[in-house]
């Protein structure tokens, strides 16, 4: 237990006291938290020093949003809440985007922000960095708490941890006013006030009748399909999920961050036949995947519906920890509510006890039809990947990345951009769970360097960040952070001179370039050299391959400026259709 200098009590006896700083640190440590991602300043500068002195790893960033993204993805990778620490008002707001994004993506994180003096803030008397942070955070996260007294720190941290990781995980805001840190209390009483959270994310066992209903529906299917979402990846029930897929023989589709839960090269993966299986399947089992826009809301043409709102006629089984998720977009015929690990193992147990080893695989014509499409698409893709055009395009560059990941399946892939995202997702196979970290539910730009730092810190594995040049710009300054902590991160900037493409022109003929265009021929590799990292300018797949191999081998912070044909991309990558189109031309 950290204590401050012994104080001489009025009686003259020496009394051990502790303070708010140490109580927060001790409460975090007591709950197994070993890393803080943050950015120092009033009123938390001393907190960062004391935390480091107490043995916590304190990773300092250049902008709070990146620290917040780091905390969020650390939470996803470890099932422990990632901690982001910021200063008041502007620092807090900078962290808030990451907190909201974490909540949307169901990543457990706690944003801890220092705040200004309550009395002044509440009377709006113009304090230093005055802001009612708790009120602002509330609608953007799963829960928000404030601690006013040192003796409540234990409860505050415990509540924040439980809120972040139990049930559907999410972001939690914890408001710690400046005055709290300096408050003192008797050390022994302080120690006793702390709470070691028992069973922070209790299992939620599904009801047997719900298991039987789901199983019956699955058995009745002629053209069954399993969709694995990032919730399934988060659950760390990898072996059971794989067993369920293999035991049933049902084809599956991984959502982007579920890639690698089973190796993408798995025979049952229907990823290369996605546009065939979605409209054709008659029973779809969603495992930790929501029917949001990424799955076209479970209806419309993607699912074989007549128009964009029409239901395609599938029956849905949905495994989710949140009962409220059911029927959010279309009818869920067999809701299976519980934590994913428990639901999947209950299904497996039911399959084993009722069907023994005689579970009937899906009808052969369904599997054959999928295999046909898949083989055709894979062959077509192989042909495209084999080409070596000059200038290099997304495909020829990603053919290299694909080989590098295949040779280094433990490496973590971070990915953002539009074309740089969509092509990477479909071309680069992942082989292990939770190795692909990307823009998630919102398709948010700016996660790149925060995710990369956290992935390297949490796992110790090499990180490969495939970044659109626009995407990279949102967090690019953190290459200094990568160099400062000497992290094994290889950033590859897919430089096509702009957002989507580099070819737009200003229709007025004026001197400003078009809104989507950047400085042409920019040398992002020079950025990392400023901080002692390795910068490489790559214009061919061979140069890219050499540089990536060297980066992974050496584990040195590396930034490769990969020059991509500026005409190769499409508007918004694969979601062009979401752009409103003007009636007036
Ligand atoms: C925070 C945020 N701001 C803006 C966007 C809109 N947006 C989507 S992709 C993208 C950048 C695409 O360009 P780039 O990263 O260079 O990828 P490319 O398609 O050129 O490979 C932008 C700005 C977003 N998704 N998130
Ligand atoms: Mg670009």
């Amino acid at each position: 237990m950290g204590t401050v200098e012994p104080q001489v009590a009025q009686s003259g006896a020496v009394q051990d006291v502790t303070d708010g700083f140490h109580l927060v640190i001790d409460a975090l440590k007591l709950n197994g938290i070993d890393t803080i991602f943050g950015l120092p300043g009033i009123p938390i500068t001393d907190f960062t020093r004391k935390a480091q002195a107490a043995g916590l790893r304190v990773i300092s960033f250049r902008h709070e949003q990146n620290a917040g993204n780091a905390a969020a993805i650390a939470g996803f990778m470890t099932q422990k809440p990632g901690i982001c620490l910021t200063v008041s008002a502007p620092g807090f707001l900078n962290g808030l985007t990451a907190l909201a994004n974490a909540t949307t993506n169901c990543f457990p994180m706690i944003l801890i922000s220092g705040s200004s003096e309550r009395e002044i803030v509440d009377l709006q008397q113009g304090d230093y960095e005055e802001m009612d942070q708790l009120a602002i955070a509330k609608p953007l996260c799963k829960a928000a708490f404030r601690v006013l007294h040192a003796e409540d720190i234990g409860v505050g941290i415990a509540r924040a941890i439980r809120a972040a990781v139990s049930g559907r995980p999410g972001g939690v805001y914890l408001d710690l006013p400046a005055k709290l840190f300096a408050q003192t209390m008797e050390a022994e009483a302080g120690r006793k006030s702390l709470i070691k959270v028992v069973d922070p994310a209790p299992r939620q066992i599904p009801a047997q009748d719900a298991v039987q209903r789901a199983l019956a529906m699955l058995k009745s299917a002629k053209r069954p399909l399993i969709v694995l979402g990032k919730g399934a990846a988060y659950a760390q029930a990898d072996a059971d999920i794989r067993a369920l897929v293999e035991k049933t023989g049902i084809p599956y589709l991984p959502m982007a961050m579920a890639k690698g839960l089973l190796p993408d090269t798995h025979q049952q993966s229907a990823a290369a036949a996605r546009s065939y299986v979605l409209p054709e399947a008659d029973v779809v089992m969603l495992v930790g995947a929501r029917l949001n826009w990424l799955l076209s809301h479970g209806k419309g043409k993607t699912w074989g519906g007549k128009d964009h709102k029409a239901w395609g006629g599938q029956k849905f089984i949905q495994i989710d920890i949140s009962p409220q998720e059911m029927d959010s977009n279309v009818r869920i015929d067999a809701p299976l509510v519980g934590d994913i690990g428990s639901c999947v193992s209950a299904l497996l147990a039911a399959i084993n006890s009722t069907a023994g080893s005689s579970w009937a695989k899906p009808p052969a014509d369904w599997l054959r039809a999928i295999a046909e499409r898949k083989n055709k698409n894979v062959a077509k893709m192989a042909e495209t990947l084999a080409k070596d055009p000059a200038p290099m395009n997304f495909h020829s560059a990603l053919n290299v990345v694909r080989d590098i990941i295949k040779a280094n399946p433990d490496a973590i892939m971070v990915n953002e951009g539009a074309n740089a995202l969509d092509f990477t997702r479909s071309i680069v196979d992942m082989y292990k769970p939770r190795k692909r970290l990307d823009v998630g539910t919102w398709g948010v730009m700016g996660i790149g360097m925060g995710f990369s730092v956290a992935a390297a810190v949490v796992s110790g594995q090499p990180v490969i960040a495939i970044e659109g040049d626009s995407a990279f710009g949102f967090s690019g300054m953190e290459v200094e952070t990568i160099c400062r902590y000497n992290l094994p991160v290889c950033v590859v900037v897919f430089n096509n001179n702009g957002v989507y493409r580099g070819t737009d022109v200003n229709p007025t003929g004026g001197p400003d370039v078009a809104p989507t265009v950047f400085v042409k021929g920019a040398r992002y590799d020079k950025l990392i050299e400023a901080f002692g990292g390795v910068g490489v300018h790559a214009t061919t797949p061979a140069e890219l391959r050499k540089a990536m191999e060297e980066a992974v081998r050496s584990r040195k912070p590396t930034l490769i400026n990969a020059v991509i044909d500026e005409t190769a991309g499409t508007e918004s990558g694969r979601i062009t259709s979401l752009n409103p189109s003007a009636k007036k031309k």
Side-chain angles (χ1 to χ4, degrees):
M1 172 105 187
T3 53
V4 293
E5 293 289 298
Q7 287 184 357
V8 182
Q10 271 176 351
S11 64
V14 175
Q15 189 188 29
D16 262 355
V17 296
T18 187
D19 60 17
F21 288 111
H22 291 90
L23 286 165
V24 175
I25 292 164
D26 292 338
L28 292 173
K29 286 177 73 173
L30 184 66
N31 284 289
I33 285 164
D34 52 17
T35 307
I36 292 174
F37 304 95
L39 201 158
I42 296 172
I44 49 100
T45 312
D46 245 7
F47 180 82
T48 60
R49 295 194 185 102
K50 288 178 163 65
Q52 188 172 55
L56 285 166
R57 186 143 196 222
V58 182
I59 305 290
S60 266
F61 284 75
R62 306 300 294 263
H63 189 291
E64 290 89 349
Q65 189 177 120
N66 306 318
N69 284 324
I73 210 66
F76 171 76
M77 293 171 71
T78 63
Q79 297 183 329
K80 279 196 289 186
I83 308 293
C84 174
L85 180 70
T86 80
V87 303
S88 32
F92 156 77
L93 286 173
N94 283 346
L96 202 53
T97 305
L99 185 71
N101 188 57
T103 306
T104 298
N105 282 281
C106 317
F107 299 153
M109 80 173 270
I110 303 172
L111 174 67
I112 302 179
S113 295
S115 59
S116 302
E117 233 177 282
R118 284 253 48 83
E119 294 84 343
I120 305 180
V121 172
D122 287 348
L123 278 170
Q124 298 170 35
Q125 294 173 307
D127 200 5
Y128 168 74
E129 298 194 348
E130 176 178 298
M131 178 174 271
D132 187 357
Q133 296 170 194
L134 186 72
I136 289 165
K138 245 179 206 162
L140 298 171
C141 58
K142 189 177 168 194
F145 306 101
R146 175 159 51 222
V147 182
L148 292 177
H149 301 290
E151 61 265 33
D152 294 328
I153 286 172
V155 170
I157 299 279
R159 298 213 72 190
I161 291 172
R162 282 201 185 276
V165 299
S166 63
R168 170 173 284 180
V172 174
Y173 176 60
L174 187 61
D175 194 85
L176 303 183
K179 272 187 180 171
L180 177 77
F181 293 104
Q183 281 178 28
T184 56
M185 67 185 288
E186 197 257 312
E188 182 55 22
R191 202 185 336 264
K192 285 187 181 148
S193 73
L194 301 185
I195 295 173
K196 184 170 168 37
V197 177
V198 176
D199 195 11
R203 296 180 67 196
Q204 290 180 219
I205 311 294
Q208 262 315 310
D209 57 336
V211 174
Q212 291 305 332
R213 191 191 297 121
L215 203 59
M217 190 154 293
L218 211 53
K219 273 188 184 163
S220 73
K222 298 271 176 295
R223 297 180 306 279
L225 176 70
I226 293 174
V227 178
L228 302 174
K230 72 174 168 282
Y234 176 80
Q236 299 195 16
D238 309 333
D240 274 358
I241 290 171
R242 184 169 185 154
L244 181 67
V245 171
E246 291 182 340
K247 181 102 197 172
T248 59
I250 297 174
Y252 73 95
L253 277 182
M255 300 302 285
M257 282 179 63
K259 276 167 69 78
L261 195 41
L262 283 80
D264 279 337
T265 47
H266 196 282
Q267 188 196 318
Q268 284 170 255
S269 170
R274 188 180 195 270
S275 60
Y276 174 72
V277 292
L278 289 181
E280 291 297 324
D282 64 347
V283 173
V284 178
M285 182 161 77
L286 303 158
V287 186
R290 293 171 287 182
L291 281 177
N292 57 23
W293 72 280
L294 287 159
L295 283 170
S296 306
H297 306 282
K299 58 194 166 194
K301 291 197 169 150
T302 308
W303 293 88
K306 281 192 189 64
D307 58 54
H308 80 286
K309 282 219 151 179
W311 175 46
Q314 297 83 359
K315 285 194 156 51
F316 286 101
I317 303 164
Q318 182 160 26
I319 302 182
D320 201 284
I321 199 157
S322 166
Q324 290 183 64
E325 187 58 38
M326 307 301 154
D327 305 325
S328 59
N329 285 273
V330 293
R331 178 173 55 241
I332 300 302
D333 305 273
L336 188 49
V337 175
D339 69 278
I340 287 170
S342 298
C343 290
V344 169
S345 72
L347 273 178
L348 266 178
I351 287 173
N352 288 334
S353 71
T354 58
S357 53
S358 68
W359 173 274
K361 297 270 146 112
D365 53 348
W366 172 235
L367 300 182
R368 201 176 318 114
I370 296 171
E372 257 166 41
R373 265 85 182 175
K374 194 174 143 178
N375 294 341
K376 209 166 81 190
N377 291 337
V378 167
K380 217 182 336 174
M381 179 60 88
E383 219 172 275
T384 312
L385 292 178
K387 290 184 185 143
D388 186 9
M392 179 158 72
N393 64 12
F394 288 103
H395 290 88
S396 60
L398 285 166
N399 188 40
V400 172
V401 178
R402 187 176 207 253
D403 289 348
I404 301 283
I405 293 287
K406 188 175 184 183
N408 302 279
D410 285 315
I412 294 170
M413 148 86 62
V414 173
N415 190 200
E416 61 177 337
N419 295 280
L421 175 89
D422 293 338
F423 285 122
T424 307
R425 185 184 53 224
S426 60
I427 292 171
V428 179
D429 290 329
M430 305 306 297
Y431 298 87
K432 296 197 174 181
R434 293 171 297 283
K435 296 293 186 185
R436 186 189 152 84
L437 311 174
D438 69 24
V439 299
T441 312
W442 271 348
V444 69
M445 297 298 108
I447 50 87
M449 298 304 102
F451 277 17
S452 295
V453 168
V457 164
V458 165
S459 73
Q461 297 292 343
V463 175
I464 292 171
I466 302 298
E467 299 274 312
D469 50 339
S470 166
F472 174 69
F474 287 75
S475 66
M477 192 63 208
E478 303 296 345
V479 294
E480 189 276 332
T481 309
I482 290 167
C483 291
R484 182 164 20 106
Y485 294 102
N486 195 25
L487 299 173
V489 176
C490 172
V491 182
V492 183
V493 176
F494 274 15
N495 187 355
N496 61 350
N497 294 339
V499 177
Y500 314 136
R501 305 158 68 88
T503 51
D504 275 11
V505 289
N506 180 342
T508 70
D512 290 352
V513 297
T516 54
V517 170
F518 295 149
V519 166
K520 299 223 176 190
R523 292 290 301 272
Y524 291 97
D525 49 311
K526 302 276 185 200
L527 279 177
I528 200 166
E529 289 175 356
F531 309 109
V534 177
V536 181
H537 182 59
T539 60
T540 65
E543 287 168 0
L544 177 61
R545 186 181 302 273
K546 182 162 170 277
M548 289 190 78
E549 280 172 355
E550 179 57 20
V552 172
R553 193 200 58 75
S554 72
R555 296 174 62 93
K556 282 188 192 148
T558 301
L559 194 156
I560 303 168
N561 182 54
V563 180
I564 301 289
D565 182 356
E566 66 172 10
T567 69
T570 58
E571 180 102 352
S572 304
R574 286 177 69 171
I575 50 175
T576 308
S577 63
L578 295 185
N579 286 301
S581 57
K583 292 271 179 291
K584 182 170 172 285
K585 291 284 175 214

